[in-house]
């Protein structure tokens, strides 16, 4: 199974730090933020990872290389070079589908390059079960944070993702999930499109499942949150 790490955004809220460094390459606890994801993918047996990039795209291969030091192969989908702009989440995934599904495999991991999950262990059996299922996506959700108090989705008693107003408790998508190419049918590989419309369509069809992630998770979206995750642990 392959994976894509979404890393094409400008990181406006993180300025001025992102004026010269893409947000996924900012240092978090001694290494680039994106390196935590690459290591988790390698530990789960993933051997091919696509990184989509646009803003300061040349810095990604310059810093990360071909992936050999992580024990896998890194491939780059340069949206700025090919299209003159970032393609947002669904557009970026659609552009990378030939790399993600080169052998006909439909299922792949998606991780956002601007979230921090230091204890992430990707569930290999869950990935196998998902690949053999009729589902289009599986989303890991986390408790809502102060900057996003309304959350994104709920979870039904049957483990399906729920959307809308009257759905009971809502949680925030962790930006980690399993996807199949069928979710992106009709998405142009050269036009910007966010992921939410694709998810809403799949949820409406009852073909997206969800579960809760209980580990440490931070949306590293502002200089203040970056400073918080890099702060020394308090003395016992």
């Amino acid at each position: 199974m392959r994976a894509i790490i979404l890393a094409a955004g400008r990181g406006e809220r993180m300025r001025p730090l992102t004026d010269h460094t893409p947000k996924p390459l900012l240092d978090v606890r001694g290494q680039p933020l994106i390196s935590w994801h690459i290591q988790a993918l390698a530990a789960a047996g993933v051997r091919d990872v696509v990184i989509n990039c646009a803003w300061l795209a040349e810095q990604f291969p310059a810093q990360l290389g071909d992936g050999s030091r992580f024990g896998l192969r890194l491939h780059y989908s340069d949206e700025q070079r090919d299209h003159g702009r970032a393609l947002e989440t669904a557009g970026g995934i659609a552009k990378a589908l030939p790399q993600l599904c080169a052998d006909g495999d439909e299922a792949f991991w998606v991780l956002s390059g601007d979230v921090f999950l230091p204890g992430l262990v990707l569930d290999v059996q869950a990935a196998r079960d998902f690949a053999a299922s009729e589902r289009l996506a599986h989303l890991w959700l986390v408790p809502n944070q102060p900057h996003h108090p309304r959350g994104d989705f709920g979870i039904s008693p049957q483990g399906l993702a729920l959307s809308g107003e009257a759905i009971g408790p809502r949680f925030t998508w962790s930006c980690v999930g399993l996807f199949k190419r069928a979710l992106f049918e009709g998405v142009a590989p050269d036009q910007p499109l966010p992921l939410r419309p694709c998810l809403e369509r799949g949820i409406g069809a009852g073909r997206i499942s969800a579960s809760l992630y209980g580990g440490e998770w931070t949306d590293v979206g502002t200089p203040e949150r970056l400073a918080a995750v890099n702060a020394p642990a308090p003395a016992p």
Side-chain angles (χ1 to χ4, degrees):
M1 189 173 290
R2 295 174 169 85
I4 182 170
I5 303 176
L6 303 173
R10 172 66 175 82
E12 292 286 351
R13 292 176 301 160
M14 191 65 84
R15 297 183 67 186
L17 298 178
T18 51
D19 286 345
H20 305 289
T21 304
K23 183 160 54 171
L25 293 180
L26 293 172
D27 186 84
V28 173
R29 299 185 187 176
Q31 63 180 338
L33 175 58
I34 198 171
S35 295
W36 293 88
H37 286 347
I38 298 172
Q39 290 163 0
L41 289 164
V46 175
R47 291 296 170 261
D48 288 277
V49 177
V50 178
I51 297 175
N52 79 319
C53 44
W55 174 247
L56 302 174
E58 70 282 354
Q59 293 191 24
F60 288 94
Q63 284 210 37
L64 304 172
D66 63 1
S68 55
R69 76 173 186 266
F70 300 101
L72 44 67
R73 292 175 291 272
L74 292 178
H75 312 269
Y76 299 95
S77 179
D78 190 332
E79 297 168 11
Q80 181 65 35
R81 179 196 64 205
D82 297 340
H83 305 289
R85 55 184 171 176
L87 299 177
E88 300 192 47
T89 43
I93 294 170
K95 172 180 169 58
L97 283 175
Q99 295 167 285
L100 293 168
C101 306
D103 298 326
D105 296 330
E106 288 199 340
F108 51 89
W109 291 98
V110 173
L111 300 89
S112 176
D114 58 2
V115 293
F116 179 52
L117 302 91
L120 178 62
V121 177
L122 296 171
D123 191 330
V124 176
Q125 187 58 52
R128 291 176 181 147
D129 293 344
F130 169 77
S133 76
E134 295 298 317
R135 289 171 287 160
L136 297 175
H138 181 84
L139 310 177
W140 276 269
L141 310 180
V142 294
N144 299 331
Q145 305 296 303
H147 62 275
H148 190 52
R150 283 183 49 79
D152 299 307
F153 305 111
I155 306 175
S156 77
Q158 296 76 32
L160 294 176
L162 299 174
S163 183
E165 294 301 321
I167 59 172
R170 300 169 69 97
F171 305 94
T172 295
W173 182 37
S174 69
C175 297
V176 175
L178 288 159
F179 290 76
K180 290 180 182 169
R181 68 181 307 155
L183 185 69
F184 302 94
E185 287 183 2
V187 178
D190 59 354
Q191 296 295 319
L193 183 73
L195 185 58
R196 187 69 184 240
C198 299
L199 294 177
E200 293 288 355
R201 187 169 61 249
I203 289 171
R207 296 184 64 189
I208 295 183
S209 54
S211 57
L212 290 177
Y213 175 75
E216 180 182 352
W217 179 88
T218 303
D219 174 1
V220 188
T222 64
E224 293 75 19
R225 287 183 229 151
L226 177 64
V229 297
N230 279 327

